[in-house]
Amino acid sequence: MSKLNKVEELKTKRFVIRKSLIGKNVVISFTNKKHENVSYNHDEVYNTHSEKFEQMNCFQKYKSYTNTNCVPKFCRNLQTITE
């Protein structure tokens, strides 16, 4: 019998990648300042750009990366991000 992976949904006020959410299969949704709804799979964004996140000072110091206004340019090409 196979075990289904449960997808957890998290609503935030901004784009966020957190070390504490890695591997938890979380879909994050937020509304930006232009009132556009954005959803993305946290693990897919992190896994695709993990090297970039790990090199950021904020990620090393605070174990998270946030962007209040929008999805970062280097992540916009992912299929899991919907606006």
Side-chain angles (χ1 to χ4, degrees):
M1 195 183 291
S2 65
K3 196 176 191 180
L4 296 176
N5 288 337
K6 182 180 176 186
V7 176
E8 185 178 336
E9 294 183 33
L10 177 64
K11 292 192 180 201
T12 65
K13 294 182 180 181
R14 63 191 55 85
F15 177 89
V16 63
I17 297 293
R18 292 185 196 136
K19 281 192 177 185
S20 63
L21 295 177
I22 296 170
K24 304 241 171 139
N25 204 22
V26 176
V27 172
I28 298 178
S29 301
F30 72 96
T31 303
N32 65 17
K33 290 185 178 184
K34 294 179 182 178
H35 301 287
E36 299 167 325
N37 292 320
V38 180
S39 295
Y40 60 96
N41 182 297
H42 179 276
D43 288 343
E44 187 169 340
V45 173
Y46 174 78
N47 291 335
T48 303
H49 299 289
S50 62
E51 196 172 293
K52 186 167 185 85
F53 287 118
E54 293 294 340
Q55 292 175 356
M56 293 178 176
N57 289 334
C58 62
F59 204 73
Q60 291 174 12
K61 187 173 182 177
Y62 301 110
K63 298 177 179 23
S64 70
Y65 168 81
T66 61
N67 188 323
T68 304
N69 298 317
C70 59
V71 174
K73 285 184 182 180
F74 65 89
C75 295
R76 290 182 192 161
N77 63 339
L78 293 176
Q79 292 178 349
T80 59
I81 297 177
T82 56
E83 293 188 48

